[in-house]
Amino acid sequence: MMNWAAASPEIFLAVAGMAILLFGVLLKKENAALCTMLVLGAFAATFVMVMQTVPQTAYSSLFVTDAFASYAKLLILAGGALTMVLSLDYNERQGIGRFEFPVLMLFSTVGMMTMASAANLMTLYMGLELMSLSIYVLAAFAREELRSAEAGLKYFVLSALASGLLLYGISLTYGFAGTMDFAKLPDAVTGVDGVSTGLMVGIAFVIAGLAFKLSAVPFHMWTPDVYEGAPTPVTAFMSTAPKVAPFVVLLRVLIGPFGHVSVQWQPIIEVVSIASMLLGSFAAIGQTNIKRLMAYSSIGHMGYALVGLAPGTESGVRGVLIYLLTYVAMSAGAFACVIAMRRQGKSVERISDLAGLAKTDLPLASLLTLFMFSMAGVPPFAGFFGKLYVFLAAVQSGLWLLAIVGILTSVVACYYYIRIIKVMFFDAPAPAFDTRSASVSFVAIASGMFTLLFVLALGPFTGAAEAAARVLFG
Amino acid sequence: MHLVLANYFPVLVFLAIALGIGGAMVGGSMLVARQMPYAEKVSAYECGFEAFGDARRRFDVRFYLVAILFIIFDLEVAFLFPWAISLGRIGLFGFFSMLAFLGVLTVGFIYEWCKGALEWE
Amino acid sequence: MISASAFFFYLFSAILLASAAAVVTSRNPVHAVLFLILAFFNAAGLFLLAGAEFLAMILLIVYVGAVAVLFLFVVMMLDVDFVQLREGVQKYAPVGAAVGAVLFGELWAVVLGWQVSPGADSLQGSPTPANMDNTHALGQVLYTDYVYLFQVSSLILLVAMIGAIVLTHRRREGTRRQNITMQQTRSVRDTLETLQVRMGAGVQELGILRPRPRAEPAEEEPRHEHAAGDH
């Protein structure tokens, strides 16, 4: 009849989420930290379950588990767990420590895992909605703060528009092909001489809807405001796992069912990629708020990652997967440092607040330096390899323009990353930050170790990414 | 297809009659009655006084909470209709599928109950 | 001579388009919501013509019955100065018009160049079987073939529920809440006291103006939320 086991990690995670929700509400006491721990435990168990899944298609071919899906899910779970640890201390100090926070993050993760396993445009859409709906609430979680409420509302309104575009694209595709199944779409796509306008517009709208979630230019408008307004752990969350899920689903859709018409979508991806790289590097220069700077930085990073998608080759997809892996680690680490920026019980966010950090807190300053170098793409840190693989893939396919723009904008981006390092090491010291909690230090050090030592474990990670990428072309 | 639409013919007749009567009433009074409006006659008043203020006032957000919880359960019920009429054909699996769905929403219901979102005070 | 269903298609579409235009142009937001309801009605009519009977009814129940009412709530709750809100319209109108023109152009291109994949009919996942109405057909696949999506939709509803409560619910201090257990477990002895009243003695003299202070602080602060059973 039906193969239940296929989605057992998702089912387990969802059931655990509901159990934790009931536990939290029935316990009556303040129990945010306890619930966060339980959710982390559920994440760990799910992580193990994902590693043991076997490749199969299930639920009337709505859902697929393969090496690609598993790679994405593990990355999503890791990113979610890292940012959840960051929320532990921050939420308590900001007075927003409520048990719904980890539970919403958990449901958002279930949505992302569903996206990673999507084998049908409907599954994609449902997963996307589950992911986004939880994030709207999380962005507005500090509801007493005007900025947070504004961030939630802004994200909600714009994201709803993007969902509408995506649905429009899906329905056009369905109207054209009569199916939303990834396995059957290629037949419909190749069955016509030339490509129908309807299908082309459909693909364009699907890309637009997903590019919005990726905050790629020109759908990036929401990013700086929402990043700045949302509580910092939510910002950290938004810049890790919820970037991975739409990206992998974009890879799957464009390479799988629409792989035959890559001529049609390639220019769109190229334009979006170049625009994101340019905006990400130039607009970040004038920023004074570190969260806004990270927002522009994440726009730029999505642009670099899209460079790997543009060729539509196996090595390109491998490059993207490695890029996402390093990006999640660097991002989580950098946000751990941002969360550590507290003075007299208040969270501070200006870049000038980092002045002279090297003199007051050398470990934090060196960790942040490490992340900034890695984000800038300085070898031998992790970020360098992500960029290397995607640019290599672009060059191999003769997309010289993308590679050149990528390298030039990386140089521009270096300027603002290194400016932060300069502020930390050479400016007159500002008062010291409050002592960090162990959880924040843990995330910063763990991500730091990963970023620093990635070069040593390059083989296994590249191998995993390659195995995952091969699935799409199999 | 046309068979289904034929079932809606009474609705159409009903609509036509409703529109006819409504139109006749409004149109008739427009045509037959003498219309001599002047400023005092058409001014808004409440109980003989000038209107005190704007009718639009700020509502308590609790009304909204009740309304949105209603919508969620309304949607849940919407899913029950096709299930109920095709229960005979979808077997035990379809039955338990709906039970799982209801179970998830029951979790939500317990949550909101315990949270006190249903109390009006 | 056009057929009856074609006639109603054009009728419903015309009213739908007109009322949709009225939604965005009407000055009074309450009128806008009422036009929206009219638009929903006509969309339901279109669904009906397309054979999607169940969707048509759901549109009426959920959108007209619930969502539109919620919109009215929100419009009233916002309490914003709508004249002020409209000030930006002039400024942003060109941009909006440009985006609209692009979308319209795309739609036009789609309509002109529409070409359905030759295999489209055979690829359909679950075509409506003959001799079966739309609601039955939905019921046949929704809970079995599409069980995964069905359960994900329940999670979406759950998240919506949590979100609504997290963002709007707050415990108010200083309000009384009914606590049924406390009411039931109270005994008469806690609240009533029988005193022998001497002849000519005033209430002040006997000190029975108010209940005697007891060990529980709940009794002393009538505003405390656990003191509900008093009345």
Side-chain angles (χ1 to χ4, degrees):
Chain A
M1 166 96 185
M2 191 152 282
N3 196 350
W4 274 107
S8 50
E10 285 83 359
I11 295 171
F12 168 77
L13 196 58
V15 171
M18 287 184 269
I20 294 166
L21 182 72
L22 286 185
F23 173 75
V25 75
L26 291 174
L27 205 63
K28 301 265 183 203
K29 284 182 296 187
E30 266 313 308
N31 48 15
L34 182 58
C35 284
T36 310
M37 289 300 180
L38 287 174
V39 170
L40 282 173
F43 270 34
T46 315
F47 196 91
V48 175
M49 287 169 87
V50 170
M51 288 212 283
Q52 285 165 344
T53 48
V54 283
Q56 58 185 328
T57 310
Y59 307 108
S60 337
S61 67
L62 290 169
F63 190 88
V64 61
T65 51
D66 48 26
F68 183 75
S70 297
Y71 183 93
K73 285 182 194 175
L74 294 180
L75 192 52
I76 288 165
L77 283 168
L82 282 178
T83 46
M84 187 112 50
V85 174
L86 288 182
S87 77
L88 262 174
D89 177 59
Y90 180 89
N91 285 5
E92 202 189 309
R93 294 201 197 185
Q94 292 292 103
I96 53 169
R98 289 191 284 158
F99 71 91
E100 285 95 343
F101 190 94
V103 172
L104 284 170
M105 266 193 180
L106 182 147
F107 284 127
S108 181
T109 310
V110 175
M112 288 184 254
M113 288 169 70
T114 301
M115 282 170 86
S117 271
N120 188 305
L121 289 172
M122 276 194 285
T123 320
L124 186 169
Y125 181 72
M126 297 298 279
L128 189 86
E129 282 305 290
L130 182 55
M131 169 188 104
S132 315
L133 196 61
S134 316
I135 298 179
Y136 306 147
V137 180
L138 286 172
F141 206 81
R143 60 180 195 190
E144 311 291 338
E145 257 181 69
L146 201 59
R147 281 196 316 166
S148 174
E150 185 196 331
L153 189 66
K154 212 170 243 177
Y155 188 47
F156 171 67
V157 171
L158 292 174
S159 193
L161 183 70
S163 291
L165 290 183
L166 181 70
L167 263 187
Y168 188 47
I170 291 176
S171 60
L172 280 178
T173 309
Y174 180 66
F176 164 77
T179 180
M180 290 186 266
D181 195 331
F182 290 174
K184 290 183 191 159
L185 269 171
D187 295 339
V189 174
T190 45
V192 200
D193 17 309
V195 174
S196 159
T197 331
L199 182 72
M200 244 170 65
V201 177
I203 297 175
F205 274 115
V206 170
I207 294 179
L210 290 172
F212 176 90
K213 306 284 171 188
L214 292 178
S215 65
V217 180
F219 308 101
H220 65 284
M221 301 297 185
W222 57 278
T223 320
D225 291 345
V226 175
Y227 269 43
E228 190 190 352
T232 315
V234 179
T235 312
F237 183 63
M238 281 163 80
S239 71
T240 52
K243 290 279 184 289
V244 175
F247 213 118
V248 293
V249 97
L250 188 64
L251 288 176
R252 202 195 273 281
V253 171
L254 290 187
I255 305 288
F258 298 136
H260 301 81
V261 286
S262 60
V263 195
Q264 302 294 332
W265 54 257
Q266 207 170 26
I268 307 181
I269 296 293
E270 281 178 36
V271 169
V272 169
S273 167
I274 290 178
S276 305
M277 289 189 288
L278 287 176
L279 187 114
S281 50
F282 285 102
I285 291 175
Q287 300 303 323
T288 52
N289 181 304
I290 187 126
K291 278 163 87 178
R292 283 187 88 86
L293 181 113
M294 290 301 292
Y296 285 107
S297 151
S298 107
I299 294 172
H301 279 294
M302 286 303 117
Y304 298 126
L306 283 170
V307 170
L309 170 59
T313 59
E314 197 175 320
S315 65
V317 173
R318 182 191 64 173
V320 174
L321 291 177
I322 294 173
Y323 199 101
L324 290 175
L325 172 69
T326 57
Y327 172 68
V328 165
M330 297 184 300
S331 225
F335 274 106
C337 297
V338 174
I339 283 181
M341 290 168 62
R342 275 180 168 280
R343 205 166 271 151
Q344 277 131 29
K346 273 203 190 138
S347 165
V348 289
E349 292 167 0
R350 276 173 304 146
I351 291 173
S352 56
D353 289 316
L354 286 167
L357 188 64
K359 298 195 183 63
T360 54
D361 190 347
L362 187 61
L364 185 66
S366 5
L367 277 168
L368 192 52
T369 307
L370 171 68
F371 295 127
M372 291 298 131
F373 271 134
S374 177
M375 285 206 169
V378 175
F381 304 121
F384 166 73
F385 294 100
K387 283 206 172 80
L388 179 72
Y389 282 116
V390 290
F391 291 155
L392 265 182
V395 168
Q396 277 166 2
S397 304
L399 299 173
W400 285 97
L401 180 65
L402 279 181
I404 291 170
V405 173
I407 289 165
L408 288 181
T409 50
S410 297
V411 174
V412 177
C414 267
Y415 166 75
Y416 63 81
Y417 290 127
I418 290 173
R419 183 168 64 111
I420 293 180
I421 299 171
K422 176 231 153 206
V423 168
M424 287 192 297
F425 281 86
F426 301 108
D427 283 10
F433 289 141
D434 297 353
T435 44
R436 296 189 286 291
S437 74
S439 58
V440 174
S441 305
F442 166 75
V443 175
I445 292 170
S447 315
M449 294 295 273
F450 182 88
T451 313
L452 186 65
L453 303 177
F454 182 76
V455 58
L456 299 180
L458 199 55
F461 283 120
T462 321
E466 212 167 303
R470 204 176 303 127
V471 171
L472 294 189
F473 295 89
Chain B
M1 195 67 67
H2 282 280
L3 215 69
V4 174
L5 289 181
N7 289 336
Y8 285 92
F9 185 68
V11 178
L12 182 68
V13 172
F14 176 76
L15 267 181
I17 294 176
L19 281 178
I21 292 179
M25 283 177 165
V26 175
S29 68
M30 288 258 285
L31 289 175
V32 177
R34 290 205 307 164
Q35 309 268 343
M36 290 168 66
Y38 53 94
E40 278 304 304
K41 202 185 210 171
V42 296
S43 66
Y45 68 96
E46 36 185 74
C47 308
F49 294 100
E50 289 283 315
F52 289 127
D54 198 358
R56 219 155 289 129
R57 271 195 292 160
R58 200 179 280 246
F59 269 80
D60 194 321
V61 76
R62 281 184 294 170
F63 289 100
Y64 166 79
L65 182 60
V66 171
I68 204 148
L69 292 178
F70 162 69
I71 287 187
I72 290 165
F73 286 109
D74 201 24
L75 275 170
E76 175 194 338
V77 170
F79 274 110
L80 284 171
F81 292 122
W83 176 73
I85 60 169
S86 54
L87 193 53
R89 301 201 210 181
I90 53 178
L92 216 53
F93 182 81
F95 177 74
F96 281 109
S97 158
M98 178 50 91
L99 278 202
F101 179 87
L102 293 181
V104 173
L105 285 161
T106 309
V107 167
F109 183 66
I110 296 173
Y111 167 75
E112 65 184 56
W113 188 320
C114 293
K115 199 78 184 169
L118 296 173
E119 289 175 33
W120 198 258
E121 295 149 3
Chain C
M1 178 67 199
I2 50 168
S3 70
S5 62
F7 169 74
F8 281 109
F9 172 77
Y10 287 114
L11 179 71
F12 287 144
S13 311
I15 302 179
L16 175 63
L17 287 177
S19 51
V23 171
V24 284
T25 50
S26 58
R27 294 201 164 273
N28 188 332
V30 178
H31 291 175
V33 176
L34 293 177
F35 274 118
L36 191 65
I37 293 175
L38 184 62
F40 283 147
F41 264 113
N42 285 285
L46 288 180
F47 272 139
L48 210 55
L49 287 176
E53 209 181 355
F54 179 68
L55 279 186
M57 294 305 142
I58 288 302
L59 195 70
L60 291 188
I61 295 175
V62 175
Y63 281 82
V64 178
V67 174
V69 175
L70 192 68
F71 278 178
L72 275 179
F73 261 132
V74 170
V75 164
M76 293 179 172
M77 213 158 53
L78 279 179
D79 189 27
V80 283
D81 186 357
F82 288 99
V83 180
Q84 193 189 1
L85 203 67
R86 297 206 153 260
E87 275 173 5
V89 169
Q90 293 291 327
K91 205 166 61 177
Y92 296 116
V95 183
V99 173
V102 169
L103 286 180
F104 185 75
E106 280 175 349
L107 256 182
W108 197 241
V110 169
V111 171
L112 284 186
W114 188 257
Q115 182 189 14
V116 175
S117 163
D121 279 337
S122 63
L123 283 172
Q124 279 190 3
S126 26
T128 311
N131 307 324
M132 187 182 280
D133 62 57
N134 170 255
T135 318
H136 267 107
L138 268 178
Q140 300 252 315
V141 290
L142 184 57
Y143 310 102
T144 47
D145 289 357
Y146 295 102
V147 60
Y148 188 78
L149 301 185
F150 180 55
Q151 304 302 343
V152 171
S153 66
S154 77
L155 286 182
I156 292 180
L157 289 178
L158 177 65
V159 167
M161 222 182 273
I162 301 175
I165 292 173
V166 163
L167 294 183
T168 61
H169 182 68
R170 62 189 74 211
R171 283 200 172 270
R172 276 145 226 269
E173 293 305 321
T175 50
R176 287 156 178 252
R177 195 171 272 121
Q178 188 179 24
N179 187 337
I180 294 167
T181 329
M182 274 192 82
Q183 285 182 341
Q184 296 298 327
T185 52
R186 253 175 107 91
S187 71
V188 182
R189 214 167 297 150
D190 292 342
T191 40
L192 280 181
E193 197 172 359
T194 328
L195 291 177
Q196 290 292 329
V197 182
R198 284 176 280 113
M199 290 291 276
V203 276
Q204 225 143 25
E205 209 173 313
L206 289 164
I208 53 169
L209 249 185
R210 43 183 300 178
R212 288 186 185 168
R214 291 190 312 154
E216 284 175 60
E219 280 299 31
E220 297 204 355
E221 301 168 27
R223 292 191 67 77
H224 196 277
E225 61 169 53
H226 291 298
D230 280 6
H231 302 282

